Amino acid sequence: MHHRRIRTTALVTTLVGAAVVAPLGTGTVAYAGVTAPVGDVGQFRQTFVENFSRDASANGPFARTYANSWQPYPDGTGGMYSSGSQISARNGLMDVRLDGQHGAAGTFGTPGDAWTHVGGKFSVRAKASGGDGNGAAFILWPTSNVWSDGEIDYPEADFAGEPMLHQHSMVPGQESTATSMSTGVTWRSWHTYSVEWIPGRSVTYLLDGRVIRTITSNVPTTAHRYMFQVGNWGAPGHLFIDWVSTYTYTG
């Protein structure tokens, strides 16, 4: 499994200004973070959506209620992750409680399909409240657990900073090098973050439905999973997730 601290903006390799341009393609998906998406988008067929409409408390009920949507790291993994005690659902939100002592991590999707993505579109609407000194990383991580099979992070950063994208080198021994970019927005307000991954060709990053960057090097070609991690440090707070949706690339 993949375990690491969230990077701050001071540690990124390459930082360029965010330029907002026209949306990529067309479709029926709501992009402004208002409602959960419905329908296919261009070359991407929607296969999974979760809007956390059922309230469920931590310490068992959330894990049972969302067993077909969320595959957590086992509690105690890495000596820092305890999704069972930290994650609940209320008022239509996945609520990740930050207490400075317990982190949380896991993969979105069903037990059978969560680890099988070879290309696709991956979208999440999220915001953070409090949690200074902590941060989150939403990650497309290789199912092989071989880092050089490619790592895509978006959004990722300290909650006190700007969410960023990081696309890592696939050259063995150089995986810590990444092409990176700031979004120019804040974790403290709702935003929709999307990745459109065409295997071996391109990764396009969208913020609230608009393209901010397309990268055509170090593009993965093998199965990945879509997940997030938060650490076990920093001030109390919450990471809220309104909805998450994944799509298959149809070519």
Side-chain angles (χ1 to χ4, degrees), residues 8-97:
T8 62
T9 55
L11 298 179
V12 299
T13 310
T14 307
L15 177 61
V16 296
V20 176
V21 297
L24 179 69
T26 59
T28 60
V29 169
Y31 66 80
V34 175
T35 59
V38 177
D40 301 341
V41 180
Q43 301 177 93
F44 302 99
R45 178 173 56 87
Q46 189 175 41
T47 54
F48 170 82
V49 61
E50 180 55 71
N51 58 20
F52 303 105
S53 60
R54 296 163 292 172
D55 284 1
S57 61
N59 296 308
F62 181 89
R64 292 192 296 270
T65 301
Y66 292 97
N68 283 320
S69 298
W70 170 247
Q71 314 307 318
Y73 282 14
D75 285 355
T77 298
M80 66 185 295
Y81 296 117
S82 184
S83 296
S85 64
Q86 303 309 111
I87 299 179
S88 61
R90 59 186 178 90
N91 301 323
L93 303 176
M94 181 181 188
D95 180 359
V96 185
R97 183 170 61 91

Side-chain angles (χ1 to χ4, degrees), residues 123-147:
S123 297
V124 64
R125 182 188 183 219
K127 67 174 289 187
S129 174
D132 286 359
N134 204 340
F138 288 79
I139 308 166
L140 279 164
W141 177 253
T143 299
S144 65
N145 285 323
V146 175
W147 197 4

Side-chain angles (χ1 to χ4, degrees), residues 2 14 25 31 51 64 80 82 101 106 108 110 128-129 149 151 163 166 188 227-228 237 243-244:
H2 184 47
T14 307
Y31 66 80
N51 58 20
R64 292 192 296 270
M80 66 185 295
S82 184
Q101 301 179 47
F108 294 112
T110 68
S129 174
D149 282 346
E151 176 185 359
H166 304 283
R188 306 311 186 187
M227 57 171 291
F228 80 81
W243 52 258
V244 59

